[in-house]
Amino acid sequence: RSAKLRPFTTRRCNACIGADMLKIFLCVALVALCSLAGFALTRKYKLRKTFMYDLHNFNERFIGEVSYTRIPLSAFFDKYEYGTDFTAVLAEIKSKNFKPVRIEFPYLTETEKRLAQDYFSMIGKSDAKSQGNYLGAVRAELEKEKTDSEAEYKKYFALYTKLGFLFGLIVAILLV
């Protein structure tokens, strides 16, 4: 008998092609989902950065107001737009007639909470000259906290998004 060789063909059945496409789609979806999870883990760092940025901007603007225009504190609170959490703090202070409030956001460090509480308990309580001196003294500390929160956000944003992507990629490779 003579052995008849069959020519090599690359045709595949439609079911096999469909299964491969499904695997590719699921792997891409898995990588995207893990990347999104890594991005979601950076939310608290973004909120912290935004709050400290708003507090720093509020202080800078308030220094100008105390030095020159001297509008009432309630009007100053409404004059500028800030992030949602910072705006909520301002609204609570205003609703409690400018009495001290507790700032309890889970993304703030204890030092930042204490700094913000001390800051809001001091503003509007003395004459313009003393107020200007206090705001100037607090300026460097607010700048430091703002810079620290921005640096930490940049560090963890890059870390968590890359780790999420790599984790998704590793799981996708293991599944294939």
Side-chain angles (χ1 to χ4, degrees), residues 41-74:
L41 289 173
T42 64
R43 185 172 187 274
K44 81 173 193 173
Y45 298 104
K46 182 176 172 76
L47 290 172
R48 178 176 168 233
K49 178 187 81 135
T50 302
F51 187 89
M52 294 312 296
Y53 177 81
D54 287 343
L55 182 57
H56 178 265
N57 279 348
F58 181 88
N59 185 59
E60 293 298 316
R61 291 170 178 160
F62 197 53
I63 288 172
E65 292 293 332
V66 167
S67 301
Y68 302 108
T69 60
R70 298 183 185 177
I71 64 173
L73 195 55
S74 59

Side-chain angles (χ1 to χ4, degrees), residues 25-35 164 167-169 171-173 175:
F25 174 74
L26 289 176
C27 289
V28 168
L30 181 67
V31 171
L33 186 64
C34 289
S35 296
F167 180 75
L169 199 58
V171 171
I173 289 170
L175 290 177

Side-chain angles (χ1 to χ4, degrees), residues 20 22-23 32-33 57 59 78 102 110 119 145 151 170-171:
D20 287 344
L22 183 62
K23 282 183 188 177
L33 186 64
N57 279 348
N59 185 59
D78 297 332
R102 291 195 49 81
E110 290 302 316
Y119 180 84
E145 292 297 331
I170 289 169
V171 171

